[in-house]
Protein backbone atom coordinates (compact mmCIF):
# COMPACT_ATOMS: atom_id res chain seq x y z
CA UNK A 1 0.00 0.00 0.00
CA UNK A 2 1.41 3.38 -1.03
CA UNK A 3 0.63 6.15 1.46
CA UNK A 4 -0.03 9.68 0.21
CA UNK A 5 1.94 11.01 3.13
CA UNK A 6 2.96 10.58 6.74
CA UNK A 7 2.66 13.13 9.50
CA UNK A 8 5.75 12.74 11.68
CA UNK A 9 5.61 14.17 15.20
CA UNK A 10 8.42 14.74 17.70
CA UNK A 11 7.10 15.39 21.21
CA UNK A 12 9.63 16.89 23.61
CA UNK A 13 9.47 18.60 26.96
CA UNK A 14 9.57 22.11 25.52
CA UNK A 15 8.35 21.84 21.93
CA UNK A 16 6.35 19.69 19.55
CA UNK A 17 7.46 19.46 15.91
CA UNK A 18 5.17 18.00 13.28
CA UNK A 19 6.11 17.57 9.63
CA UNK A 20 4.85 15.97 6.45
CA UNK A 21 6.94 13.19 4.91
CA UNK A 22 6.22 12.01 1.38
CA UNK A 23 8.41 9.46 -0.38
CA UNK A 24 11.01 9.87 2.34
CA UNK A 25 11.27 13.63 1.92
CA UNK A 26 10.52 15.90 4.87
CA UNK A 27 8.39 18.83 3.77
CA UNK A 28 6.29 21.18 5.83
CA UNK A 29 7.26 21.40 9.51
CA UNK A 30 5.39 23.23 12.22
CA UNK A 31 6.82 23.86 15.68
CA UNK A 32 4.67 24.72 18.69
CA UNK A 33 5.37 24.90 22.43
CA UNK A 34 4.58 21.78 24.45
CA UNK A 35 1.92 22.49 27.10
CA UNK A 36 4.04 20.40 29.44
CA UNK A 37 2.41 21.46 32.70
CA UNK A 38 -1.16 21.35 31.39
CA UNK A 39 -1.47 17.56 31.41
CA UNK A 40 -1.68 14.74 28.88
CA UNK A 41 -4.98 15.80 27.32
CA UNK A 42 -3.63 19.25 26.48
CA UNK A 43 -0.52 17.67 24.94
CA UNK A 44 -2.63 15.31 22.84
CA UNK A 45 -4.82 18.20 21.71
CA UNK A 46 -1.72 20.15 20.66
CA UNK A 47 -0.36 17.18 18.69
CA UNK A 48 -3.73 16.82 16.95
CA UNK A 49 -3.87 20.50 16.02
CA UNK A 50 -0.29 20.46 14.73
CA UNK A 51 -0.96 17.35 12.62
CA UNK A 52 -4.10 18.89 11.11
CA UNK A 53 -2.19 22.07 10.35
CA UNK A 54 0.59 20.20 8.57
CA UNK A 55 -1.88 18.25 6.42
CA UNK A 56 -3.57 21.50 5.47
CA UNK A 57 -0.22 23.13 4.67
CA UNK A 58 0.78 20.15 2.54
CA UNK A 59 -2.43 20.56 0.56
CA UNK A 60 -1.74 24.27 0.05
CA UNK A 61 1.95 23.85 -0.65
CA UNK A 62 2.86 26.08 2.30
CA UNK A 63 1.05 29.20 1.05
CA UNK A 64 0.69 30.64 4.54
CA UNK A 65 4.47 30.87 5.00
CA UNK A 66 4.62 28.41 7.89
CA UNK A 67 6.26 25.61 5.93
CA UNK A 68 9.71 24.18 6.52
CA UNK A 69 11.20 26.80 4.24
CA UNK A 70 10.41 29.46 6.80
CA UNK A 71 11.90 27.36 9.59
CA UNK A 72 14.96 25.83 7.96
CA UNK A 73 15.86 28.23 5.16
CA UNK A 74 14.57 26.38 2.12
CA UNK A 75 11.21 25.81 0.47
CA UNK A 76 9.34 22.55 0.63
CA UNK A 77 8.99 20.61 -2.58
CA UNK A 78 5.61 19.98 -4.12
CA UNK A 79 4.45 16.73 -2.58
CA UNK A 80 2.95 13.93 -4.68
CA UNK A 81 -0.36 12.66 -3.42
CA UNK A 82 -1.19 15.86 -1.56
CA UNK A 83 -4.77 15.80 -2.84
CA UNK A 84 -5.41 12.28 -1.58
CA UNK A 85 -8.09 11.74 1.01
CA UNK A 86 -6.99 12.85 4.44
CA UNK A 87 -8.05 9.47 5.82
CA UNK A 88 -5.21 7.82 3.88
CA UNK A 89 -2.52 9.73 5.75
CA UNK A 90 -0.71 8.06 8.64
CA UNK A 91 0.87 9.48 11.79
CA UNK A 92 4.21 8.42 13.29
CA UNK A 93 5.15 9.75 16.71
CA UNK A 94 8.42 9.90 18.61
CA UNK A 95 7.60 11.01 22.15
CA UNK A 96 9.41 11.60 25.42
CA UNK A 97 9.03 8.79 27.93
CA UNK A 98 9.19 5.01 27.75
CA UNK A 99 6.74 4.10 24.99
CA UNK A 100 5.45 0.58 24.43
CA UNK A 101 5.47 0.37 20.59
CA UNK A 102 2.96 -2.48 20.56
CA UNK A 103 0.23 -0.94 22.73
CA UNK A 104 1.18 2.67 22.05
CA UNK A 105 1.08 3.47 25.76
CA UNK A 106 3.43 5.69 27.75
CA UNK A 107 4.84 3.18 30.22
CA UNK A 108 6.67 5.78 32.28
CA UNK A 109 7.86 9.37 32.01
CA UNK A 110 9.52 12.08 34.04
CA UNK A 111 7.73 15.05 35.54
CA UNK A 112 8.81 17.20 32.59
CA UNK A 113 5.47 16.23 31.01
CA UNK A 114 2.74 16.41 33.63
CA UNK A 115 0.48 13.35 33.76
CA UNK A 116 2.17 11.74 30.76
CA UNK A 117 2.76 8.33 32.38
CA UNK A 118 -0.05 5.91 31.49
CA UNK A 119 -1.29 7.94 28.50
CA UNK A 120 -2.76 5.73 25.77
CA UNK A 121 -0.89 7.74 23.16
CA UNK A 122 -1.81 5.83 20.01
CA UNK A 123 -5.44 5.14 20.95
CA UNK A 124 -6.05 8.75 22.03
CA UNK A 125 -4.54 10.21 18.86
CA UNK A 126 -6.39 7.78 16.62
CA UNK A 127 -9.66 8.77 18.28
CA UNK A 128 -8.89 12.46 17.81
CA UNK A 129 -7.58 12.35 14.25
CA UNK A 130 -9.39 9.34 12.78
CA UNK A 131 -6.00 8.36 11.31
CA UNK A 132 -3.77 5.36 11.92
CA UNK A 133 -0.98 6.06 14.42
CA UNK A 134 2.26 4.37 15.50
CA UNK A 135 4.57 5.59 18.25
CA UNK A 136 7.96 5.01 19.84
CA UNK A 137 10.25 6.85 22.23
CA UNK A 138 11.70 10.05 20.77
CA UNK A 139 15.34 8.91 20.97
CA UNK A 140 14.35 5.58 19.40
CA UNK A 141 12.80 7.59 16.57
CA UNK A 142 16.04 9.58 16.33
CA UNK A 143 17.97 6.33 15.93
CA UNK A 144 15.61 5.14 13.19
CA UNK A 145 15.99 8.43 11.34
CA UNK A 146 19.79 8.29 11.31
CA UNK A 147 19.64 4.63 10.22
CA UNK A 148 17.16 5.42 7.46
CA UNK A 149 18.91 8.36 5.84
CA UNK A 150 21.62 9.67 8.15
CA UNK A 151 24.98 8.82 9.66
CA UNK A 152 24.25 5.10 10.19
CA UNK A 153 22.53 4.52 6.85
CA UNK A 154 23.45 1.20 5.29
CA UNK A 155 24.51 -0.45 8.54
CA UNK A 156 22.87 -3.48 10.09
CA UNK A 157 23.65 -2.51 13.67
CA UNK A 158 24.09 0.91 15.23
CA UNK A 159 23.87 2.82 18.47
CA UNK A 160 22.46 6.35 18.49
CA UNK A 161 23.38 8.48 21.49
CA UNK A 162 21.37 11.63 22.12
CA UNK A 163 23.52 13.85 24.32
CA UNK A 164 21.88 17.04 25.49
CA UNK A 165 19.54 17.85 28.34
CA UNK A 166 19.69 14.14 29.10
CA UNK A 167 21.65 11.17 27.76
CA UNK A 168 19.53 8.70 25.82
CA UNK A 169 20.12 5.98 23.28
CA UNK A 170 18.57 3.94 20.52
CA UNK A 171 19.85 0.52 19.41
CA UNK A 172 19.27 -1.04 16.00
CA UNK A 173 20.14 -4.68 15.42
CA UNK A 174 19.56 -6.48 12.14
CA UNK A 175 18.03 -3.17 10.99
CA UNK A 176 15.34 -3.37 13.68
CA UNK A 177 14.90 -1.19 16.70
CA UNK A 178 15.63 -2.97 19.99
CA UNK A 179 13.13 -1.83 22.60
CA UNK A 180 13.73 -4.49 25.24
CA UNK A 181 11.45 -6.31 27.64
CA UNK A 182 9.98 -3.14 29.14
CA UNK A 183 10.41 -0.91 26.07
CA UNK A 184 13.23 0.83 27.97
CA UNK A 185 16.29 -0.28 25.99
CA UNK A 186 18.83 2.45 25.33
CA UNK A 187 18.97 4.29 28.66
CA UNK A 188 22.68 4.94 28.30
CA UNK A 189 22.52 7.88 30.69
CA UNK A 190 21.86 5.52 33.56
CA UNK A 191 25.03 3.50 33.32
CA UNK A 192 27.25 3.93 36.39
CA UNK A 193 30.12 6.40 35.99
CA UNK A 194 32.96 6.72 38.52
CA UNK A 195 33.24 10.47 37.85
CA UNK A 196 29.61 10.91 38.90
CA UNK A 197 29.99 9.22 42.30
CA UNK A 198 27.57 10.88 44.73
CA UNK A 199 26.02 13.18 42.15
CA UNK A 200 22.21 13.05 41.90
CA UNK A 201 20.70 11.80 38.63
CA UNK A 202 17.26 12.92 37.41
CA UNK A 203 16.10 9.29 37.75
CA UNK A 204 16.46 9.57 41.52
CA UNK A 205 19.64 7.52 41.88
CA UNK A 206 23.22 8.81 42.09
CA UNK A 207 26.41 8.19 40.17
CA UNK A 208 24.98 7.78 36.67
CA UNK A 209 26.52 9.04 33.42
CA UNK A 210 23.73 11.59 32.97
CA UNK A 211 24.61 13.16 36.34
CA UNK A 212 28.03 14.21 35.01
CA UNK A 213 27.80 14.14 31.19
CA UNK A 214 24.50 15.82 30.23
CA UNK A 215 24.39 19.50 29.31
CA UNK A 216 22.93 20.63 32.66
CA UNK A 217 25.40 18.39 34.50
CA UNK A 218 28.37 19.94 32.69
CA UNK A 219 27.08 23.38 33.59
CA UNK A 220 26.74 22.30 37.23
CA UNK A 221 30.30 20.94 37.18
CA UNK A 222 31.55 24.29 35.90
CA UNK A 223 29.77 26.10 38.72
CA UNK A 224 31.35 23.79 41.29
CA UNK A 225 34.76 24.32 39.75
CA UNK A 226 34.22 28.07 39.78
CA UNK A 227 33.13 28.11 43.42
CA UNK A 228 36.01 25.86 44.43
CA UNK A 229 38.49 28.05 42.56
CA UNK A 230 37.19 31.17 44.27
CA UNK A 231 37.27 29.51 47.69
CA UNK A 232 40.86 28.41 47.12
CA UNK A 233 41.86 31.94 46.17
CA UNK A 234 40.24 33.37 49.28
CA UNK A 235 41.95 30.83 51.53
CA UNK A 236 45.31 31.48 49.90
CA UNK A 237 44.94 35.21 50.57
CA UNK A 238 43.64 34.87 54.13
CA UNK A 239 46.16 35.34 56.99
CA UNK A 240 45.93 31.90 58.60
CA UNK A 241 49.41 31.11 59.96
CA UNK A 242 48.30 28.39 62.36
CA UNK A 243 45.18 26.73 61.00
CA UNK A 244 43.26 26.32 57.78
CA UNK A 245 39.50 26.04 57.44
CA UNK A 246 40.02 23.29 54.88
CA UNK A 247 43.19 21.48 55.98
CA UNK A 248 42.84 21.73 59.77
CA UNK A 249 45.85 22.15 62.10
CA UNK A 250 49.26 22.81 60.59
CA UNK A 251 51.11 19.55 60.18
CA UNK A 252 48.02 17.46 59.48
CA UNK A 253 48.26 15.35 56.30
CA UNK A 254 46.68 16.95 53.24
CA UNK A 255 43.71 15.17 51.68
CA UNK A 256 44.17 13.55 48.31
CA UNK A 257 43.28 15.85 45.43
CA UNK A 258 39.98 15.07 43.73
CA UNK A 259 39.69 15.25 39.93
CA UNK A 260 37.04 17.90 40.46
CA UNK A 261 35.24 19.31 43.52
CA UNK A 262 32.36 17.05 44.58
CA UNK A 263 28.86 18.36 45.11
CA UNK A 264 27.63 18.79 48.65
CA UNK A 265 24.75 16.49 49.62
CA UNK A 266 21.65 17.62 47.77
CA UNK A 267 23.57 20.32 45.91
CA UNK A 268 22.06 21.19 42.54
CA UNK A 269 24.56 23.81 41.43
CA UNK A 270 27.13 26.25 42.69
CA UNK A 271 26.91 30.05 42.24
CA UNK A 272 26.73 31.34 38.71
CA UNK A 273 23.20 30.23 37.86
CA UNK A 274 21.08 32.22 35.44
CA UNK A 275 20.53 35.66 36.83
CA UNK A 276 23.15 35.25 39.57
CA UNK A 277 26.72 36.54 39.57
CA UNK A 278 29.58 34.08 39.67
CA UNK A 279 31.91 34.10 42.69
CA UNK A 280 34.14 36.52 40.76
CA UNK A 281 31.30 39.00 40.49
CA UNK A 282 30.77 38.52 36.75
CA UNK A 283 27.52 37.07 35.39
CA UNK A 284 27.82 33.31 35.06
CA UNK A 285 26.81 31.38 31.90
CA UNK A 286 23.09 30.67 32.02
CA UNK A 287 23.04 27.73 29.58
CA UNK A 288 25.32 24.99 28.31
CA UNK A 289 25.49 26.86 25.01
CA UNK A 290 26.80 29.94 26.85
CA UNK A 291 29.33 27.73 28.62
CA UNK A 292 30.45 26.23 25.29
CA UNK A 293 31.12 29.73 23.97
CA UNK A 294 33.44 30.66 26.83
CA UNK A 295 35.10 27.23 26.67
CA UNK A 296 35.83 27.77 22.98
CA UNK A 297 37.24 31.18 23.88
CA UNK A 298 39.72 29.48 26.21
CA UNK A 299 38.19 29.65 29.69
CA UNK A 300 40.10 26.88 31.54
CA UNK A 301 37.32 25.99 33.99
CA UNK A 302 34.72 25.78 31.23
CA UNK A 303 37.04 23.58 29.18
CA UNK A 304 37.65 21.37 32.21
CA UNK A 305 33.89 20.98 32.82
CA UNK A 306 33.34 19.82 29.24
CA UNK A 307 36.32 17.49 29.46
CA UNK A 308 35.02 15.82 32.63
CA UNK A 309 31.58 15.21 31.11
CA UNK A 310 32.90 14.12 27.72
CA UNK A 311 35.36 11.65 29.23
CA UNK A 312 32.66 10.07 31.38
CA UNK A 313 30.42 9.58 28.35
CA UNK A 314 33.26 8.43 26.10
CA UNK A 315 34.34 5.77 28.59
CA UNK A 316 30.76 4.49 28.90
CA UNK A 317 30.41 4.28 25.12
CA UNK A 318 33.69 2.40 24.88
CA UNK A 319 32.32 -0.15 27.33
CA UNK A 320 29.12 -0.49 25.30
CA UNK A 321 31.16 -1.01 22.12
CA UNK A 322 33.05 -3.83 23.84
CA UNK A 323 29.79 -5.51 24.87
CA UNK A 324 27.62 -5.04 21.77
CA UNK A 325 30.16 -4.27 19.00
CA UNK A 326 27.82 -2.20 16.80
CA UNK A 327 28.97 -1.24 13.32
CA UNK A 328 28.81 2.44 14.22
CA UNK A 329 28.01 4.75 17.13
CA UNK A 330 26.31 8.00 16.18
CA UNK A 331 26.19 11.03 18.47
CA UNK A 332 23.32 13.50 18.19
CA UNK A 333 21.73 16.09 20.45
CA UNK A 334 22.85 19.53 21.52
CA UNK A 335 26.28 18.50 22.84
CA UNK A 336 27.16 17.03 19.45
CA UNK A 337 27.14 20.59 18.12
CA UNK A 338 29.98 21.55 20.48
CA UNK A 339 33.49 21.89 19.04
CA UNK A 340 36.63 19.91 19.86
CA UNK A 341 36.43 21.15 23.46
CA UNK A 342 33.93 18.30 23.91
CA UNK A 343 34.63 15.99 20.99
CA UNK A 344 38.39 15.54 21.56
CA UNK A 345 38.16 14.18 25.14
CA UNK A 346 35.09 12.13 24.16
CA UNK A 347 37.01 10.37 21.39
CA UNK A 348 40.10 9.90 23.54
CA UNK A 349 38.19 8.33 26.43
CA UNK A 350 36.19 6.16 24.02
CA UNK A 351 39.29 4.83 22.29
CA UNK A 352 41.04 4.17 25.60
CA UNK A 353 38.29 1.76 26.68
CA UNK A 354 38.16 -0.33 23.49
CA UNK A 355 39.58 -3.84 23.51
CA UNK A 356 41.67 -4.88 20.47
CA UNK A 357 38.71 -6.57 18.79
CA UNK A 358 36.59 -3.40 18.86
CA UNK A 359 39.36 -0.91 18.11
CA UNK A 360 38.35 1.28 15.21
CA UNK A 361 34.62 1.30 15.96
CA UNK A 362 33.41 4.46 14.18
CA UNK A 363 32.18 7.31 16.37
CA UNK A 364 30.27 9.76 14.17
CA UNK A 365 28.31 12.94 14.53
CA UNK A 366 24.65 12.64 13.54
CA UNK A 367 23.84 13.92 10.06
CA UNK A 368 20.20 14.95 10.41
CA UNK A 369 20.03 17.15 13.50
CA UNK A 370 16.57 17.58 14.98
CA UNK A 371 14.98 16.25 11.78
CA UNK A 372 16.23 12.74 12.60
CA UNK A 373 13.39 12.09 15.04
CA UNK A 374 10.79 13.20 12.48
CA UNK A 375 12.21 11.00 9.73
CA UNK A 376 12.45 8.11 12.16
CA UNK A 377 8.85 8.56 13.29
CA UNK A 378 7.77 8.55 9.65
CA UNK A 379 9.89 5.43 9.17
CA UNK A 380 7.53 3.51 11.44
CA UNK A 381 5.31 3.30 8.36
CA UNK A 382 7.99 2.45 5.79
CA UNK A 383 9.73 -0.75 4.76
CA UNK A 384 13.11 1.02 4.76
CA UNK A 385 13.26 1.62 8.49
CA UNK A 386 11.33 -1.55 9.23
CA UNK A 387 8.73 -2.31 11.86
CA UNK A 388 10.20 -1.72 15.26
CA UNK A 389 10.11 -5.16 16.86
CA UNK A 390 9.33 -8.75 16.00
CA UNK A 391 5.92 -8.83 17.66
CA UNK A 392 4.75 -5.70 15.91
CA UNK A 393 6.30 -6.82 12.62
CA UNK A 394 3.82 -9.68 12.32
CA UNK A 395 0.91 -7.36 13.12
CA UNK A 396 2.08 -4.79 10.59
CA UNK A 397 2.54 -7.30 7.80
CA UNK A 398 -0.98 -8.67 8.33
CA UNK A 399 -2.43 -5.16 8.29
CA UNK A 400 -0.62 -4.13 5.11
CA UNK A 401 -1.81 -7.23 3.17
CA UNK A 402 -5.49 -6.55 3.79
Amino acid sequence: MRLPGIIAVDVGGTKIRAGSVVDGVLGHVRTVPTPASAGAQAILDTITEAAASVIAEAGRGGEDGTDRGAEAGHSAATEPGRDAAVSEWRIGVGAAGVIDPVTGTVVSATDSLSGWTGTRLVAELEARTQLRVRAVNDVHAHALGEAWSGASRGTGSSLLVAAGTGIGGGILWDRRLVTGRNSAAGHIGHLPAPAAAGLPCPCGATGHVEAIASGPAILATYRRLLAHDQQSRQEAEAPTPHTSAVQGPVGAPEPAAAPYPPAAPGQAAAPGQAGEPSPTGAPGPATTRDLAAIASAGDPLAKRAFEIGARALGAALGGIANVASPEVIVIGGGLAETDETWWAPLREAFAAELIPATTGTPLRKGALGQDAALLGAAGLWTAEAGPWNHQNRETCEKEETH
Side-chain angles (χ1 to χ4, degrees):
M1 180 178 68
R2 181 183 180 279
L3 300 175
I6 302 165
I7 301 302
V9 184
D10 179 13
V11 182
T14 59
K15 64 184 178 181
I16 293 171
R17 300 181 77 232
S20 59
V21 179
V22 177
D23 292 338
V25 177
L26 180 62
H28 312 280
V29 173
R30 172 154 301 206
T31 303
V32 296
T34 304
S37 62
Q41 297 306 309
I43 297 171
L44 292 166
D45 288 342
T46 302
I47 296 171
T48 302
E49 292 165 5
S53 175
V54 169
I55 291 177
E57 288 168 12
R60 293 193 299 269
E63 295 172 0
D64 61 358
T66 55
D67 63 321
R68 191 170 186 268
E71 181 181 63
H74 58 81
S75 61
T78 301
E79 298 172 358
R82 67 181 184 182
D83 295 324
V86 170
S87 62
E88 295 180 5
W89 285 71
R90 298 290 184 262
I91 298 177
V93 180
V98 176
I99 312 296
D100 184 331
V102 178
T103 65
T105 300
V106 182
V107 177
S108 65
T110 67
D111 293 337
S112 62
L113 295 179
S114 179
W116 196 232
T117 299
T119 301
R120 297 170 61 244
L121 178 58
V122 165
E124 293 270 11
L125 286 179
E126 287 186 339
R128 282 169 164 78
T129 64
Q130 300 301 302
L131 299 177
R132 298 287 304 284
V133 180
R134 291 176 181 167
V136 292
N137 166 265
D138 54 350
V139 180
H140 289 174
H142 193 149
L144 285 172
E146 289 289 353
W148 185 9
S149 57
S152 51
R153 182 177 183 177
T155 64
S157 62
S158 61
L159 169 65
L160 180 282
V161 182
T165 303
I167 305 291
I171 305 163
L172 269 78
W173 211 260
D174 291 335
R175 303 182 188 276
R176 296 180 184 175
L177 181 66
V178 177
T179 56
R181 183 175 64 87
N182 294 317
S183 307
H187 276 80
I188 294 167
H190 303 289
L191 289 170
L199 295 176
C201 181
C203 72
T206 61
H208 289 174
V209 170
E210 190 167 307
I212 194 69
S214 69
I218 290 172
L219 187 57
T221 296
Y222 168 76
R223 291 167 178 163
R224 290 195 300 275
L225 289 167
L226 195 62
H228 184 266
D229 181 69
Q230 180 65 11
Q231 181 182 1
S232 298
R233 290 174 183 271
Q234 291 172 347
E235 291 169 355
E237 296 170 358
T240 54
H242 300 295
T243 61
S244 165
V246 175
Q247 295 179 341
V250 173
E254 295 185 0
Y260 61 94
Q267 178 183 6
Q273 298 183 41
E276 296 181 6
S278 71
T280 62
T287 66
T288 310
R289 182 176 295 179
D290 295 337
L291 185 65
I294 68 171
S296 296
D299 183 286
L301 296 183
K303 291 173 67 175
R304 178 62 178 145
F306 275 104
E307 180 185 4
I308 290 168
R311 286 188 176 280
L313 179 58
L317 296 182
I320 293 173
N322 292 338
V323 171
S325 191
E327 291 178 50
V328 63
I329 296 177
V330 177
I331 313 291
L335 287 172
E337 301 305 318
T338 310
D339 61 17
E340 287 300 299
T341 302
W342 183 79
W343 275 100
L346 178 82
R347 293 193 194 98
E348 184 177 332
F350 173 72
E353 292 295 330
L354 297 177
I355 60 176
T358 59
T359 297
T361 300
L363 191 65
R364 300 175 186 166
K365 179 181 177 181
L368 303 176
Q370 62 180 345
D371 289 345
L374 291 177
L375 290 169
L380 301 178
W381 287 99
T382 68
E384 288 88 346
W388 48 104
N389 63 31
H390 295 281
Q391 181 177 352
N392 228 20
R393 180 181 181 87
E394 296 177 359
T395 302
C396 296
E397 290 174 344
K398 289 178 182 177
E399 289 173 348
E400 301 302 333
T401 57
H402 288 82

